Amino acid sequence: MKKGCVFLTGAGPGDPKLLTLRAVETLRISDVVVYDRLVNQEILQEVKHGAEKIYCGKLPKNHTLRQEQINHILSEKALEGKVVTRLKGGDPFVFGRGGEEAVHLASLDIPFEVIPGITSGIAAPAYAGIPVTHRAFGGTLAVVTGHLPNEQDKEQWRALAKGIDTVVFYMGMNQLESITTRLIDSGQSPDTPAAAIEWGTTSRQRTVTAALTSLPSEARKAEISNPAIIIVGEVVQLRDNMRWFIGEADIASELSAFTHNET
């Protein structure tokens, strides 16, 4: 039987208009679409009539399908000769486990194509009026998973705190207190501007800004929860003059309240 193929496709950060043209093409030709929890339902309207849709969304400690099962579905459907789109929120290779799926498909000699998507760690700050890089404030950028082990390498934290201008954490709201504490303990100034952005690029977007040391309490007050991006760095202060997304609900204390005076 002729093998099918798999498209490892990024669905972008939430706004369906940020989907790439190539991603739309794959949805319109696929026999099977395997999609995640954070994929905007409007995007699924692009799936061709009669295609099989398989939901494999994950919540912490509550996985509809485990990764090994997802890998098996992709290869099984492709080996049946079907065209498969694996549709992931954001970009498939940015904390999307697309690399694991690609390795699995390659091990079975199943053809696949990777279709990048706009990742939320760049898009959500942009919609909040925060550029992740800026010549005056941030020439280095790190993206970090918020699912941190209990004993994370101290040198790695020191590098993030002292060697990187802007740090973006994915999936970190449940670890926010730990993240801020470890950064400060590793040398980051407690007054560093920081933000948490919930449901970035969508009509549900909300942003809270505060000094790094105050961000956990401010986020709790605002009831910010996942899906959310945490961004730490001087670039956050640019939000004062760069806010443009009129669909956003601003629930933050303004950055002008920060005090950066040396004591």
Side-chain angles (χ1 to χ4, degrees), residues 62-75:
N62 183 15
H63 294 182
T64 304
L65 295 172
R66 301 200 64 81
Q67 188 60 48
E68 295 78 10
Q69 295 173 297
I70 295 171
N71 291 350
H72 176 72
I73 289 171
L74 297 179
S75 56

Side-chain angles (χ1 to χ4, degrees), residues 4-9 74-75 77-78 82-86 105 110-114:
C5 65
V6 177
F7 296 104
L8 301 174
T9 302
L74 297 179
S75 56
K77 298 296 183 180
K82 295 178 179 178
V83 177
V84 182
T85 285
R86 173 69 173 103
L105 296 169
I110 295 173
F112 66 90
E113 178 182 330
V114 180

Side-chain angles (χ1 to χ4, degrees), residues 96-200:
R97 305 192 73 170
E100 297 170 51
E101 293 165 358
V103 167
H104 173 73
L105 296 169
S107 72
L108 298 175
D109 198 28
I110 295 173
F112 66 90
E113 178 182 330
V114 180
I115 301 165
I118 301 173
T119 184
S120 58
I122 294 172
Y127 268 56
I130 303 169
V132 292
T133 65
H134 187 283
R135 289 185 66 182
F137 297 102
T140 55
L141 170 67
V143 293
V144 184
T145 176
H147 295 316
L148 303 170
N150 292 328
E151 297 296 331
Q152 189 76 355
D153 180 55
K154 291 183 179 179
E155 290 300 319
Q156 187 173 358
W157 277 104
R158 191 172 295 114
L160 290 174
K162 302 293 287 184
I164 304 295
D165 296 317
T166 306
V167 185
V168 177
F169 292 90
Y170 288 63
M171 306 165 290
M173 289 307 300
N174 293 335
Q175 300 286 338
L176 182 55
E177 191 86 43
S178 176
I179 288 170
T180 57
T181 298
R182 291 184 185 190
L183 286 173
I184 292 169
D185 288 349
S186 299
Q188 188 94 45
S189 169
D191 291 330
T192 304
I197 308 163
E198 178 187 69
W199 287 105

Side-chain angles (χ1 to χ4, degrees), residues 184-221:
I184 292 169
D185 288 349
S186 299
Q188 188 94 45
S189 169
D191 291 330
T192 304
I197 308 163
E198 178 187 69
W199 287 105
T201 78
T202 74
S203 60
R204 299 167 65 181
Q205 177 174 312
R206 300 189 302 151
T207 299
V208 61
T209 56
L212 180 62
T213 189
S214 303
L215 187 63
S217 61
E218 293 296 324
R220 279 195 300 272
K221 288 179 190 176

Side-chain angles (χ1 to χ4, degrees), residues 214-232:
S214 303
L215 187 63
S217 61
E218 293 296 324
R220 279 195 300 272
K221 288 179 190 176
E223 299 183 341
I224 297 290
S225 61
N226 283 318
I229 288 293
I230 301 159
I231 180 168
V232 179

Side-chain angles (χ1 to χ4, degrees), residues 40-105:
N40 191 310
Q41 292 297 302
E42 290 183 39
I43 291 174
L44 296 178
Q45 295 177 13
E46 299 293 341
V47 177
K48 76 176 183 179
H49 180 71
E52 181 181 7
K53 301 175 187 176
I54 301 174
Y55 175 70
C56 60
K58 298 176 183 177
L59 286 167
K61 300 181 181 179
N62 183 15
H63 294 182
T64 304
L65 295 172
R66 301 200 64 81
Q67 188 60 48
E68 295 78 10
Q69 295 173 297
I70 295 171
N71 291 350
H72 176 72
I73 289 171
L74 297 179
S75 56
E76 179 184 50
K77 298 296 183 180
L79 290 172
E80 291 174 0
K82 295 178 179 178
V83 177
V84 182
T85 285
R86 173 69 173 103
L87 190 62
K88 297 171 172 290
D91 180 272
F93 281 0
V94 180
F95 303 125
R97 305 192 73 170
E100 297 170 51
E101 293 165 358
V103 167
H104 173 73
L105 296 169

